[in-house]
Amino acid sequence: MHTPHTDSPPEPPKQRRTPHLPTTLLALCSALLLTLVGIEWRPLLDLDAGIARTTHRWAVEEPALTQTSRILTDWIWDPWTMRILCGATAVLLLRRYADGWTALWLLLTVAVGTAVQQGLKAALDRARPTWPDPVDSAHYAAFPSGHAMTATVVCGLLLWLLHRHGAPRVLWRTALAVAVVSVAGVGLTRVWLGVHWPTDVLGGWLLGALLVLAAVEFHRRRCPATAHLGRSPASPEMNGTPKRPARGPRRTR
């Protein structure tokens, strides 16, 4: 007797595993740099001092570029400017997407970044560069650079949110370019102005990127992406109203 062939039930979709290699590498690099700074490893200190002396000489010889660097680092890329940008984004998430969880996640992640950098500054108490003819000044200890870490955290989180909400390609590429220039630029200005050692900036970049990856992974586990992301808030699916199927042409007798 011939048994009719039946299709086997489809396999459940496999969950995409988040790659942990970047997070692990960032954690190892951050821990290594933190250790070398903490034990005051002489080759690292000599490298810092050599780069800092050169950039400070250039800063003294180029007052116009130094003044531009001060404006950028004190106003455009200042940590408080970045935090205000995050606050505005949180308001947008609440008003347009009614996504209170993501808004809270964003603000808390930035707050954690601030707490981490201030805690490390207090623990290591690394002295900032000192010059007989300073071109700028700064407060608190040196490692890590608060400007570099805050810019990395804020830009990284906002880029991920744009990607998650399906930003148009032009907007995404523009935001990516602005983020790269901001993160790199704020680090360079801190060294140029002689208020940070190069490894302070490197530490801020590494720790900021590590925090972004950890926060994104936490958000993905706590609140997986859903189908409504990237759609207009007024769409029927987001309002909880099922979309009615389109009716076919009316038959006439």
Side-chain angles (χ1 to χ4, degrees), residues 52-187:
R53 282 194 297 267
T54 301
T55 54
H56 178 68
R57 185 177 69 251
W58 292 344
V60 173
E61 295 172 353
E62 300 290 342
L65 187 54
T66 299
Q67 181 61 23
T68 302
S69 298
R70 271 204 295 261
I71 294 173
L72 289 172
T73 196
D74 291 340
W75 295 97
I76 308 300
W77 297 325
D78 183 76
W80 279 109
T81 303
M82 295 291 169
R83 292 168 189 146
I84 292 172
L85 180 60
C86 273
T89 304
V91 172
L92 178 64
L93 288 169
L94 282 171
R95 292 176 63 89
R96 183 171 182 180
Y97 298 101
D99 193 352
W101 156 246
T102 301
L104 179 62
W105 165 85
L106 176 63
L107 296 177
L108 286 179
T109 302
V110 175
V112 168
T114 301
V116 168
Q117 71 188 32
Q118 292 300 326
L120 289 175
K121 284 177 181 290
L124 294 176
D125 197 24
R126 189 185 196 189
R128 292 179 183 268
T130 55
W131 311 104
D133 50 350
V135 297
D136 202 358
S137 62
H139 304 288
Y140 307 111
F143 187 92
S145 167
H147 281 70
M149 186 172 177
T150 303
T152 303
V153 171
V154 171
C155 291
L157 294 177
L158 296 186
L159 282 176
W160 182 76
L161 286 173
L162 283 175
H163 174 73
R164 183 173 184 262
H165 285 270
R169 182 175 299 180
V170 174
L171 176 59
W172 163 254
R173 289 181 176 178
T174 302
L176 179 60
V178 171
V180 171
V181 170
S182 298
V183 172
V186 72

Side-chain angles (χ1 to χ4, degrees), residues 246-252:
R247 296 181 179 179
R250 190 172 181 180
R251 297 179 61 182
T252 56

